[in-house]
Every structure is written in C-alpha cells, then in structure tokens.
Amino acid sequence: MYLYNSVSHKKELFTPNSPELVKMYTCGPTVYHFAHIGNLRTYIMEDVLEKALRYVGYPVKRVMNITDVGHLASDADTGEDKMLKGAKRENKSVMEIAQFYTDAFFADCEKLNIKRPEVVEPATGCIDEFIKIVSTLIEKDYAYVAGGNVYFDTSKLEKYYIFNDHNEEDLAVGVREGVEEDSNKKNRNDFVLWFTKSKFEDQALKWDSPWGVGYPGWHIECSGISMKHLGEDLDIHCGGIDNAFPHHTNEIAQSESYLGHKWCNYWFHVHHLNTDTGKMSKSKGEFLTVSLLEQKGYDPIVYRLFCLQSHYRRNLVFSWENLDNAAVTYEKLIAKIATLKKEGEVDEEALAQLKQRFRTALESDLNTSLAITAVYDVLKANTSDATKLAALADYDQVLCLNLLEAAQKLIKKQAEEEAESADPEIDALIAARTEAKKAKNFAEADRIRDELKARGIEIIDTPQGAKWKRV
Ligand code: AMP
Ligand code: ZN
C-alpha cells in the first residue's frame, strides 16, 4: 500500500516494522464538548485506513487516547484548560464532563460505522507513565524546570520542524489562537511537559510529581499512551492536519529524545473539513454535530459517504447542499443495489478482478473516491448478480456504508408496500371510483373516497392513475 508520509512529503510504500502486527496510534478527542463533524471526518478517514490495512492483509493494533486533562485553549500551552471550560459551562465536575462526552463521542462513532480502537486510554489513567518520561527527559538534559513548570528544551534538537512543508496557515494554528508569551520558556517553541504553577487555581485534576502537585501537558499524553501500549516503535501515527504542528512535532521531539532512536515511521494527516464561511468551530456559527444531522433527517452514513467521496489530503467544504447531493447519491446507489437478485453462481475470476480494482484504489494513498467509483463499476460489470453482491459485501468491509443492509431494508419496504397495495377489495373500490369519475358521477366518487378514508386509506391521484396508501 502506498501512503503519503508527512515526514518525507512523499507517497511511500507502507512497510511496517513487522508484517505480523501494524502498530497504529490515533490522537483521540478532547472530551470537553461534542465532536463536530470536522473532527469526525478525521476519525472516519482513520477508520478507513485501519480497515484498508486489514483488507490488504495486515493485522492492526490501534490505540487511541482520550484527552481528559492538559489540553489548553491554545495548542501552544496557553489559555484555559478545555476540560475546565467545559465543566464550568455545564456546572459539572471535570470527570463528569469527561465521561459524558467520551460516551457521546463513541455513540457518534457507532452511528458513522467507525470501529472503536482495540485500546482506548484516558490521559488521567497514565500519569505514572508521563512522570517517568518527563523525569528521563530532565536527566538527559532535554527538559528544564522554570517557574514551577517542566519544559522541553527545543534548542537541544538538531531538527525540530519535522513537517516543515505544511502551509503557513496550518503551521500557525497552534500559536495563532490567543498568543500569550510565557517568560519561563528559554526558546519560543519550548513546550510544557508538566504544569505545576498553573495560573488556574481551580484546576480540578492534580497529581503529585517530583516537581510538585500538577498535571501533564497535552503532548506528553500521546507519547506516553502510545509507548505504554505499543512499545518503543510505532508504524503509523494519525491525526488531523492541525495536529502536525505543534502537537505531533512535539510528540516526536520528546519521544525520540526519551527513547534515543527513531519512534514512528509514517505520519498520516487528514485535511480539514471547512464550512463555506471558513473554519469549523464548536463555538461560532452552527455547531455541526451528528445529532444535528439526524435532527435534520439525514442518515449519518450519508455523511460517511460524503467524506469518502473526496481524498483525505484535500480540504473538504461542508454545506447542506453538498450533503443533500451525497444523500441523493446514496439513495440512488442503494436503489440500484436493491435490484440485484441473489441469482447465478459467483464467478470467482470476475470477483477476484473486482476485488483487485478496489484494493488498487485503497493502495493508491487511500483513494476512497476511486474506491466509490469501483462500487459503480461493480454494478455495471458484465457478471452475475451473485458475483456483484459478493463484491459489494467485500468492499463494504472497508467502506462500511451498509450497502447490502440498506438495500435489504429497501427491498423489504418495497415488498411491504406492494403487499399493502395488493388488496383486491380496495383495488375494486378504487376502480369503481375511477369509473364513477369517468361517468361524472362525482357524488359516488366522493362517497367511495370517504368510505376508504374511514378505513384509513388515502387516495392519491397521479397522472398514472389513482394510487393509495394507509395513513
Ligand atoms: P480535538 O478533539 O480538538 O483534539 O480534535 C480531534 C481531532 O479532530 C484531531 O485529530 C484534530 O486534528 C481533528 N480536527 C479538528 N478540526 C478539524 C476539522 N475542521 N476537520 C478535520 N479534522 C479536524
Ligand atoms: Zn495526540
């Protein structure tokens, strides 16, 4: 499989340290609020990546953190702790907020067919791991204590900006929001490993440490949790593009300084979902959540399809109109699949070819739009329906668009509707009404309409004749 690696800025043949097990780490949510659908674009594409790796034959162990402490309003370690902000907003404790929004996050994931990673670890469960890493970094002289906090000293590194070709705007994200100078830092890019002298006296979660009572910085979480569950070598690390700097840059700095060797080989970054007015936000404009999509009558799977239709390394613009287009596409696609009959033999050779087409799309830097095109190619293929159904079932292990289930539901619904309309008595009454109308006997036509209405049947006059439904 070829994947774009943000470190080399090239598409590379993905070669894990051991084909026996791909070690995959994904930055998890900061659980102070609902995830917006932009966050979920990242999780959908990471889910597709994990499933694609499995599809091409690798077993995968995937770890995700839950950020329930230490992520400040600005990624550059300034501003209020996001969790505290959430707790104040809702007048609850930080742990109540964390539990509620962790559950809400996984409920959203389930609706989007995002598989839960094998390991999900909250930061508050790994304080000892973080303290161990920070202590070693101080011993190795990569970190210093100043003004009560422990900082990573970026001047000790040969190369700090690992992902240095990201566009300026993305690089600036972390330092742009609410820039505040921290006079304890020796260098502009130094970052906090452990806070003790917090300016937030009401910080709810604090732990004892060799540097005083405090709490970990956000970046150390992901290094610590990854090493706890995946060891010293990581194959692939994922996140949204805004995480590349400073979060992932700092993760690499501290992990490799701590370990004394290269840590992670491949970095996978998903570009942003924006609105037509700009950046997606939880506080400004419409707060776009999965629940909002549902309230507006969308099947969340339509949003998954919308994401899959474009490449993960392109910004994607969300608008209701764009989502409507995806909804129509999905409806038509399912209607086409519903016409396939479980007939004929599976043509193994044709199936292998169709599978190969899909695999090639995934292996081309996770080209999901090409993978969706492959679905249409299946429908057009000159082969038996049984072969087509087998191919679609195979593809849906990765796409997870409920292709066959949704088609089955539609078939059932159509059958029910047909069964309902196959009522000879009602059909006879409708025919009698049509005759009465023809004969301009409107009193009789109305009488039949009223009789049917009293029996819960509504007549719909269409250019193709009178139809009816139960109401
Ligand atoms: P957070 O909960 O803020 O830590 O973010 C969770 C994930 O969503 C991270 O991987 C972010 O990089 C990613 N993310 C944030 N905003 C967007 C967006 N507009 N589009 C796609 N991914 C995003
Ligand atoms: Zn992270």
Side-chain angles (χ1 to χ4, degrees), residues 426 429-430 432-433 436-437 441-461 471:
I426 292 168
L429 280 167
I430 299 249
R433 175 177 168 267
K437 273 173 81 178
N441 185 354
F442 296 113
E444 175 63 2
D446 286 350
R447 191 198 61 74
I448 296 174
R449 174 185 286 273
D450 290 346
E451 186 189 330
L452 285 170
K453 197 173 171 194
R455 291 163 67 168
I457 307 292
E458 188 186 321
I459 302 175
I460 307 142
D461 287 311
V471 285

Side-chain angles (χ1 to χ4, degrees), residues 92-129:
K92 291 199 182 121
S93 74
V94 167
M95 285 330 274
E96 279 169 345
I97 287 289
Q99 191 58 55
F100 179 82
Y101 287 111
T102 301
D103 293 346
F105 172 72
F106 286 113
D108 285 347
C109 286
E110 210 177 313
K111 288 176 185 163
L112 293 165
N113 282 349
I114 299 171
K115 174 182 162 291
R116 189 186 169 105
E118 283 67 43
V119 180
V120 174
E121 178 83 89
T124 48
C126 297
I127 301 299
D128 290 348
E129 275 82 6

Side-chain angles (χ1 to χ4, degrees), residues 35-38 275 280-281 286-290 292-293 318 320:
H36 60 51
I37 58 171
T275 61
M280 191 147 296
S281 162
E286 205 168 20
F287 184 8
L288 294 162
T289 58
V290 170
L292 183 69
L293 301 189
F318 176 84
W320 293 110

Side-chain angles (χ1 to χ4, degrees), residues 21 37 148 159 220 271 280 349 365 381:
L21 188 69
I37 58 171
K159 187 175 180 202
I220 197 75
H271 285 241
M280 191 147 296
E349 204 177 308
D365 192 22

Side-chain angles (χ1 to χ4, degrees), residues 167-413:
N167 72 45
E168 286 292 319
E169 206 190 318
D170 292 326
L171 273 175
V173 169
V175 284
R176 198 177 47 216
E177 291 170 21
V179 182
E180 270 173 61
E181 277 308 311
D182 179 347
S183 56
N184 295 318
K185 288 185 183 180
K186 289 188 193 165
N187 313 287
R188 183 172 159 268
N189 285 312
D190 289 358
F191 55 92
V192 179
L193 295 164
W194 185 268
F195 291 96
T196 60
K197 197 165 165 270
S198 165
K199 44 186 173 13
F200 324 115
E201 312 231 307
D202 49 352
Q203 177 70 25
L205 299 173
K206 297 175 198 172
W207 294 264
D208 219 356
S209 83
W211 320 284
V213 174
Y215 58 98
W218 171 40
H219 315 297
I220 197 75
E221 279 181 23
C222 290
S223 296
I225 292 172
S226 166
M227 287 180 208
K228 177 178 173 186
H229 295 285
L230 297 168
E232 292 193 359
D233 298 289
L234 192 54
D235 291 306
I236 188 156
H237 193 310
C238 314
I241 188 71
D242 60 309
N243 281 167
F245 183 83
H247 184 48
H248 292 163
T249 305
N250 293 348
E251 278 188 47
I252 294 170
Q254 68 205 2
S255 299
E256 298 195 347
S257 304
Y258 169 74
L259 294 168
H261 59 74
K262 187 162 184 185
W263 175 48
C264 177
N265 290 329
Y266 299 87
W267 289 81
F268 175 92
H269 288 121
V270 180
H271 285 241
H272 272 187
L273 179 79
N274 299 314
T275 61
D276 34 16
T277 52
K279 200 171 169 247
M280 191 147 296
S281 162
K282 297 189 186 189
S283 49
K284 283 172 253 141
E286 205 168 20
F287 184 8
L288 294 162
T289 58
V290 170
S291 307
L292 183 69
L293 301 189
E294 286 182 305
Q295 276 165 33
K296 289 189 183 256
Y298 295 95
D299 177 349
I301 292 304
V302 164
Y303 178 64
R304 185 174 172 106
L305 173 64
F306 173 71
C307 291
L308 264 50
Q309 282 174 319
S310 54
H311 196 253
Y312 75 91
R313 279 196 302 113
R314 284 182 192 280
N315 286 343
L316 179 58
V317 175
F318 176 84
S319 69
W320 293 110
E321 197 187 343
N322 291 347
L323 191 64
D324 282 339
N325 290 336
V328 171
T329 303
Y330 188 64
E331 200 181 320
K332 285 189 182 161
L333 180 60
I334 296 303
K336 271 198 196 130
I337 297 171
T339 62
L340 299 176
K341 309 267 178 290
K342 285 184 189 137
E343 283 170 3
E345 296 278 301
V346 173
D347 177 342
E348 292 300 339
E349 204 177 308
L351 179 61
Q353 274 175 15
L354 293 170
K355 282 186 183 179
Q356 187 53 43
R357 195 171 300 174
F358 183 69
R359 185 181 169 127
T360 303
L362 299 177
E363 286 176 340
S364 313
D365 192 22
L366 211 65
N367 192 335
T368 49
S369 60
L370 200 60
I372 299 288
T373 308
V375 171
Y376 287 97
D377 291 344
V378 168
L379 293 169
K380 282 185 272 178
N382 186 16
T383 185
S384 67
D385 279 8
T387 311
K388 292 181 186 183
L389 287 167
L392 293 174
D394 179 73
Y395 292 11
D396 217 30
Q397 294 174 82
V398 178
L399 301 176
C400 292
L401 293 170
N402 299 343
L403 295 177
L404 299 191
E405 297 86 333
Q408 275 307 316
K409 258 195 210 164
L410 181 62
I411 291 169
K412 200 167 159 234
K413 194 172 149 224

